[in-house]
Amino acid sequence: MAGDKASISVTRRSALVTIGSAAGAALLHRPSYAADRLKVASVYSVPVDQQWASRLHIALKAAEARGDIEYGWSESVANTDMERTIRDWAEKKSQLVIADAFAIERNARKVASDYPKTAFLMGSSFGPTDPNYSVFDNFIQDASYLTGIIAGGMSKSGTIGMVGGYPIPEVNRLMNAFMDGVREVNPKAKFFVSFIGSWFDPPKAKEAAYAQIERGADLLYAERFGVSDAAKEKGVLTIGNLVNTQPQYPNTVVASALWHMEPTIDKVIAKLKDGAYKAEDYGSFSMMKAGGASLSPLGTFEGKVPGEIMAKVAEREKAIRGGSFVVKVNDSEPKSTV
């Protein structure tokens, strides 16, 4: 497989040159906070227990528990209120403001330019802007690829359903990596792909999953909550995304690609405390080699996945962590093949 950090930067980051510099070279001139707890705020467009938001929330709560930060947050904020809410937290003298800026890129960067002494860390498909606007993203395609290998070995029909939120790079790259993993085991596999047009609508995701099961899918990629509910009712299997939901679906969820935001959050906090913060792209800290992604334990499916499949997973994971195998980053919209 081809692909590396440099190619990721080109494919996903270069489109924002009209908004601001992506060099991220200028230090944010501010004192060190080594002996103090940083005031950190996060703004979420979804509930904090939703997959994506929960990864940040857990990492920030851990930093709060060890005394590194004071943490406040706003959840379920509509896109029309995101700029105002981010600005409110900056006005409250937060030293670091975190948010998902995917739907409000220009607005978020405008807020950052109005508060040049505040550090901003934004979920974004584009690059950083000097001096204070850093970005991150969920580059967990390594783990998604490994779950695809498992799915390819567990599907008896070779027909797999996939239900996502929106066809944006952050979703597309995980789906495409999953499909590549499936094809490593079963090159003839077929896929149903659908998007529900929402980040949090379990009933809609459930209906989309029903439709794919009725058309012959015996295993589903659950990019959204709701898919595993349909699978449980119909007696088919699922692969999870971002979080491990097997405890809730012990006979349904075989494995999940997990996202860990701790490496990103901890690195940003450390740089702020050292007075070394600058605008940077933290996307690589979500990769498996950096500890930002992992494959969940098989749990209740231990011993149920064929041994040769798990041997292939172990071989690929070792190669990924060692750098001899690089999972392709494909941000294009995946299409149904049926």
Side-chain angles (χ1 to χ4, degrees):
M1 289 288 177
D4 53 24
K5 186 177 179 182
S7 66
I8 291 169
S9 178
V10 170
T11 56
R12 88 190 253 266
R13 302 300 198 191
S14 60
L16 208 62
V17 293
T18 58
I19 291 179
S21 166
L27 284 173
L28 176 59
H29 297 292
R30 61 186 309 147
S32 171
Y33 299 101
D36 302 320
R37 292 200 300 169
L38 295 173
K39 292 184 66 176
V40 178
S42 197
V43 181
Y44 305 106
S45 62
V46 293
V48 293
D49 58 356
Q50 185 260 9
Q51 294 128 295
W52 194 92
S54 71
R55 302 299 87 197
L56 280 78
H57 190 61
I58 289 170
L60 288 164
K61 291 294 286 184
E64 180 184 46
R66 64 176 181 257
D68 285 343
I69 66 173
E70 296 178 14
Y71 172 45
W73 70 91
S74 301
E75 61 181 319
S76 301
V77 179
N79 287 337
T80 52
D81 287 332
M82 285 288 284
E83 179 181 350
R84 177 189 60 78
T85 307
I86 293 170
R87 192 177 294 276
D88 284 349
W89 281 111
E91 283 288 336
K92 292 175 182 176
K93 307 302 181 184
S94 298
Q95 293 153 325
L96 171 63
V97 178
I98 304 170
D100 50 310
F102 299 108
I104 56 158
E105 288 282 359
R106 294 180 184 276
N107 305 64
R109 289 167 196 270
K110 176 62 169 62
V111 176
S113 69
D114 290 341
Y115 298 90
K117 297 301 183 183
T118 301
F120 291 84
L121 178 65
M122 297 288 164
S124 173
S125 298
F126 304 105
T129 301
D130 291 336
N132 60 334
Y133 191 97
S134 291
V135 296
F136 68 91
D137 213 339
N138 58 321
F139 280 110
I140 65 166
Q141 65 281 344
D142 300 329
S144 296
Y145 185 90
L146 298 180
T147 63
I149 294 175
I150 293 173
M154 292 296 284
S155 173
K156 293 181 172 59
S157 69
T159 301
I160 293 174
M162 308 181 71
V163 179
Y166 293 94
I168 65 170
E170 289 68 28
V171 174
N172 297 344
R173 73 174 67 105
L174 306 186
M175 284 187 162
N176 284 318
F178 171 82
M179 294 166 81
D180 285 344
V182 171
R183 292 186 180 112
E184 179 164 336
V185 176
N186 182 3
K188 296 182 179 180
K190 298 178 181 179
F191 300 91
F192 294 116
V193 180
S194 61
F195 296 93
I196 64 172
S198 173
W199 293 128
F200 193 70
D201 192 339
K204 193 170 184 179
K206 186 176 182 179
E207 288 302 318
Y210 279 144
Q212 294 179 350
I213 294 169
E214 289 175 2
R215 296 181 64 188
D218 69 345
L219 187 144
L220 302 174
Y221 177 79
E223 199 272 330
R224 292 293 100 191
F225 282 161
V227 174
S228 291
D229 294 301
K232 178 181 177 180
E233 291 181 15
K234 297 296 184 179
V236 303
L237 302 176
T238 63
I239 293 293
N241 179 57
L242 301 181
V243 297
N244 184 7
T245 54
Q246 192 185 83
Q248 292 77 38
Y249 306 93
N251 300 312
T252 303
V253 179
V254 182
S256 300
L258 306 182
W259 185 26
H260 309 292
M261 270 297 289
E262 287 80 359
T264 302
I265 295 298
D266 294 351
K267 179 63 70 172
V268 174
I269 289 172
K271 289 196 173 188
L272 280 166
K273 284 182 170 287
D274 291 342
Y277 177 85
K278 61 182 179 179
E280 294 184 77
D281 184 342
Y282 286 87
S284 63
F285 288 94
S286 286
M287 294 182 182
M288 185 170 278
K289 287 195 295 184
S294 69
L295 177 66
S296 71
L298 289 181
T300 54
F301 280 85
E302 191 72 47
K304 298 178 183 178
V305 180
E308 64 271 20
I309 295 297
M310 292 313 299
K312 172 63 70 175
V313 169
E315 175 190 339
R316 285 298 188 214
E317 181 172 353
K318 181 179 180 181
I320 289 168
R321 293 185 181 278
S324 62
F325 183 84
V326 180
V327 175
K328 179 180 177 183
V329 175
N330 181 359
D331 286 349
S332 62
E333 181 178 344
K335 302 292 186 181
S336 296
T337 61
V338 180

